[in-house]
Amino acid sequence: MAEKTTKSFILRVDVEMMNAIESWAADEFRSTNGQLLWIITEALRKAKRLPKKKGPVTDNNSHS
């Protein structure tokens, strides 16, 4: 199984936006960081920009 890694970066947002994100995170029982990751993941998914998940390898050439 591949090891999952994370990358840190600095994000600057204005106070009103951060307050809205923190409030939304609290409503969803997530951390602020978790909420930001969820927002970004959803945006990437909707834009079809997420890499395809690798499923189990199947042998399409076998004939049984």
Side-chain angles (χ1 to χ4, degrees):
M1 189 164 150
E3 184 178 323
K4 197 170 192 177
T5 61
T6 60
K7 185 174 181 177
S8 298
F9 69 99
I10 296 173
L11 174 65
R12 291 182 179 91
V13 295
D14 65 42
V15 174
E16 288 180 6
M17 185 181 295
M18 193 63 187
N19 289 340
I21 293 167
E22 289 171 340
S23 177
W24 190 7
D27 291 347
E28 300 287 328
F29 302 104
R30 292 188 180 105
S31 66
T32 302
N33 188 70
Q35 188 69 20
L36 286 167
L37 287 172
W38 180 83
I39 292 166
I40 293 166
T41 301
E42 285 299 297
L44 289 169
R45 185 185 61 77
K46 288 178 183 177
K48 298 183 185 336
R49 295 287 186 153
L50 282 177
K52 297 198 186 237
K53 292 184 179 181
K54 294 180 180 178
V57 176
T58 59
D59 183 4
N60 294 331
N61 295 328
S62 66
H63 301 288
S64 15

